[in-house]
Amino acid sequence: MTKKRIVVLYGGRADEHSISCISTAGVLGALDTERFEPIPVGITKDGKWIVNGEDPRGWSLDGNELPTVKITPESRPVMIDPSRGKDGFFAGEPEHLNGADSNLVNLNDPEMRHTLTSLGHVDAVLPVLHGPYGEDGTVQGLLEMMGVPYVGCGVFASAACMDKHYTKIVLNAAGIPTAPGIMVDARNFTAADVLEKVETAGLAYPLFVKPSRAGSSFGVTKVEKAEDRETQQDKLAAAVATAGEHDWKVLIEQGIDGREIECAVLCPKAGEEPEASWPGEIVLDHQDDDQFYDFDSKYMDASASHVEVPANLPVSVLEDVRDVARRAFKAVDGAGLSRVDTFVTPDGTVMVNEINTMPGFTPISMYPKAWEATGVGYTELITRLIEGVLR
């Protein structure tokens, strides 16, 4: 059987760059190499595409430093010709070095003349990219123009779900409840205006202030009720400024009295009915009432939390979560995969928090763990996703 050649994109310009690298290490380690030939293509933090950089298979969360895609003496720039479609991926090879030692020359210098060498026919792309410039419809749009099949949601679903504000608009229109909240422009706000908007919306404390278009809990602040208005204004303003470092569009959401339950959705072939895993829960192991599931809890501190699948809830509630997850996935026109994060309140109400169209695939990520607990192993999961888009 001829192996299908799959470009695996990783890294990228988003804050989640390093998480993409770790996810890719897991994906490449689990990929069925009897069926697929991976072509790893890294994207540096400043947006340069390369091949033959550091092998991502060796990356993990065990080191003191998060991995990043870097240009190395052996790496080569990747260039794309959209008009060539599946044959439009090329690596740049220096035309000549004029006697210079290649170790002393930046072979990725855009001023250097390159001869393009084809990376060969590409059957599909697996974009293991999290956050802006990868999970937001930008890369998806490029691949659509090239006519190259790719794993995951399309342009609309990727863009709508990257923006938590618009996710709420789409889901609410479909009759799916979300946490009450407001949007603030971090480029132009005053503390007094923010407090007034919160009070007008009737939002109850605690509040969560977050970037609308970022992931992995970057820039998220929990704001408790203060004793006086001046202190409250200052706390809200500081939280908006923190979120604004990641995105000018900032959400202020009412904290929900409920448990955060996550459900993995799988729909390898567009048009088929999506499947939902058993819902899971991230259980925080540190007994701290003020703690929430932040970046370090997710990725840097294995002792901070653990995953429980299925979540410790009545089966009827778990089935309600699965139903809401499937409905939400269809409402945003999802494809391939997504992780639908919900709140389950004490009375059993299920509301959607957010939808991640390319959820983390790290060793401690919920998406693969949820499917493993539902009977679909890691390698089988990746195989089904890729085979679903091959044509």
Side-chain angles (χ1 to χ4, degrees), residues 44-281:
T44 65
K45 285 189 173 183
D46 60 355
K48 295 183 175 65
W49 294 35
I50 64 169
V51 290
N52 300 340
E54 184 179 351
D55 188 349
R57 293 173 181 85
W59 288 334
S60 71
L61 288 169
D62 298 333
N64 295 323
E65 185 177 343
L66 286 172
T68 58
V69 178
K70 295 185 177 71
I71 292 174
T72 67
E74 297 77 22
S75 66
R76 298 292 181 267
V78 171
M79 302 171 194
I80 293 174
D81 182 349
S83 69
R84 293 176 181 261
K86 297 177 184 178
D87 299 303
F89 295 83
F90 298 86
E93 299 290 346
E95 287 189 356
H96 57 81
L97 296 174
N98 292 325
D101 184 344
S102 63
N103 291 322
L104 302 177
V105 176
N106 180 4
L107 303 184
N108 295 269
D109 186 342
E111 298 300 321
M112 177 172 285
R113 292 174 60 86
H114 290 84
T115 299
L116 297 185
T117 300
S118 174
L119 292 178
H121 184 79
V122 170
D123 293 290
V125 172
L126 175 53
V128 190
L129 297 168
H130 307 311
Y133 310 109
E135 195 180 354
D136 59 353
T138 49
V139 165
Q140 290 75 13
L142 170 63
L143 297 173
E144 291 278 358
M145 289 192 297
M146 294 180 71
V148 177
Y150 58 92
V151 171
C153 288
V155 174
F156 173 78
S158 299
C161 293
M162 187 73 249
D163 190 324
K164 299 176 182 68
H165 175 230
Y166 280 111
T167 305
K168 288 176 177 290
I169 292 173
V170 174
L171 294 181
N172 292 163
I176 300 171
T178 61
I182 59 173
M183 195 274 287
V184 173
D185 187 336
R187 300 170 301 184
N188 182 24
F189 76 95
T190 66
D193 286 343
V194 172
L195 179 58
E196 183 179 350
K197 286 185 176 182
V198 167
E199 292 175 341
T200 300
L203 301 182
Y205 290 86
L207 302 175
F208 284 89
V209 182
K210 61 182 75 172
S212 186
R213 296 168 293 195
S216 298
S217 299
F218 285 105
V220 179
T221 303
K222 183 179 181 181
V223 178
E224 300 283 0
K225 178 69 173 177
E227 294 183 0
D228 61 89
R229 287 178 59 81
E230 184 175 353
T231 302
Q232 197 68 60
Q233 287 183 178
D234 292 344
K235 291 172 70 173
L236 283 170
V240 170
T242 297
E245 295 174 2
H246 302 272
D247 184 12
W248 65 262
K249 195 174 185 180
V250 174
L251 272 182
I252 301 179
E253 290 185 331
Q254 177 175 305
I256 300 299
D257 179 18
R259 291 163 62 178
E260 296 185 40
I261 307 297
E262 303 177 0
C263 188
V265 180
L266 177 65
C267 184
K269 187 170 292 187
E272 294 185 346
E273 281 297 309
E275 306 170 49
S277 72
W278 281 114
E281 183 174 22

Side-chain angles (χ1 to χ4, degrees), residues 362-373:
T362 72
I364 59 173
S365 293
M366 173 65 79
Y367 191 87
K369 283 184 171 291
W371 278 115
E372 183 178 13

Side-chain angles (χ1 to χ4, degrees), residues 326-369:
R326 286 187 291 261
R327 288 170 50 210
F329 185 82
K330 293 171 73 171
V332 298
D333 195 26
L337 73 164
S338 288
R339 193 190 71 233
V340 180
D341 299 347
T342 72
F343 295 117
V344 177
T345 64
D347 66 1
T349 299
V350 179
M351 61 177 62
V352 173
N353 179 25
E354 62 181 347
I355 301 174
N356 292 274
T357 56
M358 183 50 71
F361 266 93
T362 72
I364 59 173
S365 293
M366 173 65 79
Y367 191 87
K369 283 184 171 291

